[in-house]
Amino acid sequence: MTLLRLVFSALLPFAAGYFMSYLLRAVNAVVAPDLVKDLGLTPGELGLLTAAYLGAFALFQLPLGVLLDRYGPRKVQAGLLSVAAAGCVGFAFAPDFLGLFAARAVIGLGFSAGLMASYKSSATWVPAERRSLANTAIMSMGALGVVVATEPTEWLVGLIGWRNAFLVFAGLILLAAGLILAAAPRKDTLTTPAPLKQQFGQMIAIMKTPLFWRIAPLLGLTSGVQIGIQTLWAGPWLRDVMGFSREQVAHHLLFMAVAFMVGILSVGVIADRLARRGIGPMQVMLGFNLLYFMAQAVIVLRVEGLMFPAWLFVAAFGQVAVLAFPWFAAHIGKEVAGRANATINFTMFVAAFASQYLVGLIIGLFPASGTGYSPQGYSWAIGIFLAAQLLAYGWYLAASPHRKIVETRA
């Protein structure tokens, strides 16, 4: 497959689906004031409603890995995107909190293959030495989705209302599904799949390996916390801690989304260059993790003059765990790459769900401020999850060198 055909058939169509996945994941950071106004939500309810996406997303990761390896990313992604479109329609017409919660969960289920289908296609068609760059390029499309979820979405909601905006999103998602069916390679499974029982057994074997338990807490917490906080709580934080208006919040969320896109692309380029000098992706990831932790500490301590730059660092480097996906899949085996990636992605979205919901619960324990929620509540909530990430980082560094991976292909 030529480079141009590779980009336009095996990568770009799936990146379009991931673009919509991240747009819908982050959209509540902008429409939250409308949801709170229309339904009178508490911080905990807002967190739970938004996290319904992440909860359904996480629960489907393990069977998703089997489906991707068995049926290929083209069929699986196109089918699930149709489910996400139906969820958007349900969200647009939902009359109450329970209806919104159920529809939001359906949206999350429909987008559960957004990144993993892209990674599966990358693992199938892209040479191993270039996968870190390919995967970060795909993730940058997700970052573009975050960009669209800020000021452009604020403009759209102001023009037609949040319910009609979700109908527009449903149409765009169906277009992405059609692009995948039309352009992606038909033959995207490498071998005849094993029986389903054996495939699930192989996934359980992956999750029992020492390497999984060494790396999953670090990858899950670092990426999951960034997803949980940036896609909901960054907006209210800018309002309540920095005193921004709704328009200013959307504007600064746009800056964060651009930082995410530029940051993840830069990380991919840096890792690609350093790999030629013998520096592996895990070393690059661990270095960027330190910058990410320091930025979170600035936010927790509310250091005057550095808080918003710190948010830019959180956005730029919160997803450097992407570097570990091809590294982990390479250790497990190419033919089970979908399941290997799904096990890690599962831990990320469990952490994302927990952080998005629990941050709201913690904030709700503190008296409200004049503009919204307590700044002290934000510091405690984000600080608790920063401590958990630091423990996971220490666990990874302290763990003994991983032993040979158990055989998962038998």
Side-chain angles (χ1 to χ4, degrees):
M1 185 180 294
T2 66
L3 177 61
L4 191 62
R5 186 181 175 190
L6 174 67
V7 170
F8 282 97
S9 64
L11 298 180
L12 187 59
F14 294 100
Y18 187 52
F19 166 87
M20 293 305 303
S21 171
Y22 234 117
L23 194 164
L24 269 296
R25 189 185 304 172
V27 71
N28 275 17
V30 168
V31 302
D34 298 299
L35 299 176
V36 171
K37 179 182 176 182
D38 291 352
L39 288 92
L41 302 180
T42 67
E45 288 172 335
L46 177 61
L48 181 61
L49 171 61
T50 307
Y53 175 114
L54 301 173
F57 194 111
L59 289 175
F60 200 66
Q61 288 306 297
L62 299 183
L64 172 66
V66 173
L67 293 175
L68 287 172
D69 286 332
R70 188 174 186 85
Y71 299 109
R74 176 178 170 269
K75 294 178 182 177
V76 173
Q77 176 70 318
L80 285 173
L81 285 178
S82 300
V83 173
C88 285
V89 174
F91 200 89
F93 290 105
D96 52 25
F97 173 81
L98 289 178
L100 290 172
F101 180 88
R104 178 79 176 165
V106 171
I107 294 171
L109 172 64
F111 281 127
S112 58
L115 188 59
M116 293 301 96
S118 304
Y119 283 2
K120 176 63 177 178
S121 185
S122 172
T124 302
W125 301 106
V126 177
E129 67 274 10
R130 308 311 300 273
R131 283 179 202 153
S132 291
L133 181 59
N135 287 356
T136 52
I138 291 168
M139 182 163 276
S140 71
M141 285 294 290
L144 186 58
V146 181
V147 171
V148 175
T150 59
E151 283 192 329
T153 295
E154 175 72 19
W155 172 83
L156 181 65
V157 170
L159 184 67
I160 63 176
W162 65 270
R163 292 185 184 274
N164 287 329
F166 273 83
L167 294 178
V168 173
F169 296 150
L172 294 174
I173 294 165
L174 289 176
L175 285 176
L179 176 62
I180 289 170
L181 286 175
R186 265 56 171 179
K187 186 178 180 182
D188 52 7
T189 52
L190 296 179
T191 58
T192 302
L196 282 174
K197 182 178 179 181
Q198 183 177 345
Q199 286 188 294
F200 276 104
Q202 290 168 339
M203 174 167 284
I204 297 301
I206 292 170
M207 298 181 73
K208 289 181 178 179
T209 61
L211 181 59
F212 175 83
W213 286 103
R214 181 188 179 199
I215 197 172
L218 176 61
L219 302 184
L221 281 166
T222 53
S223 285
V225 168
Q226 191 263 356
I227 292 169
I229 293 176
Q230 183 173 343
T231 58
L232 176 60
W233 294 112
W237 187 97
L238 292 168
R239 177 196 66 198
D240 299 333
V241 177
M242 300 196 74
F244 290 160
S245 67
R246 179 166 178 167
E247 292 74 20
Q248 288 174 315
V249 167
H251 192 57
H252 283 75
L253 288 175
L254 174 61
F255 287 144
M256 290 175 60
V258 172
F260 177 24
M261 182 168 59
V262 173
I264 199 64
L265 270 176
S266 300
V267 166
V269 171
I270 291 170
D272 191 60
R273 295 285 179 86
L274 291 178
R276 301 173 192 176
R277 301 183 180 183
I279 301 175
M282 295 304 294
Q283 287 86 352
V284 177
M285 185 195 77
L286 292 171
F288 279 111
N289 279 159
L290 294 177
L291 293 175
Y292 175 55
F293 297 149
M294 288 188 285
Q296 289 180 74
V298 169
I299 293 168
V300 169
L301 298 173
R302 304 200 298 276
V303 180
E304 199 70 31
L306 295 179
M307 289 186 288
F308 187 66
W311 275 111
L312 296 178
F313 271 78
V314 167
F317 304 127
Q319 293 298 314
V320 293
V322 65
L323 297 175
F325 276 88
W327 177 85
F328 183 70
H331 281 77
I332 299 300
K334 186 176 183 179
E335 64 273 24
V336 292
R339 277 159 284 171
N341 287 335
T343 58
I344 297 297
N345 214 40
F346 172 74
T347 65
M348 289 183 178
F349 281 90
V350 168
F353 172 84
S355 61
Q356 197 160 80
Y357 178 41
L358 293 176
V359 164
L361 286 183
I362 295 168
I363 290 172
L365 298 175
F366 293 80
S369 67
T371 60
Y373 308 137
S374 166
Q376 188 178 6
Y378 287 107
S379 289
W380 274 98
I382 297 172
I384 287 170
F385 281 100
L386 172 58
Q389 292 170 76
L390 291 171
L391 287 174
Y393 191 87
W395 163 255
Y396 177 81
L397 294 179
S400 59
H402 61 270
R403 298 184 291 276
K404 178 177 172 60
I405 301 301
V406 299
E407 180 64 54
T408 61
R409 311 170 190 69

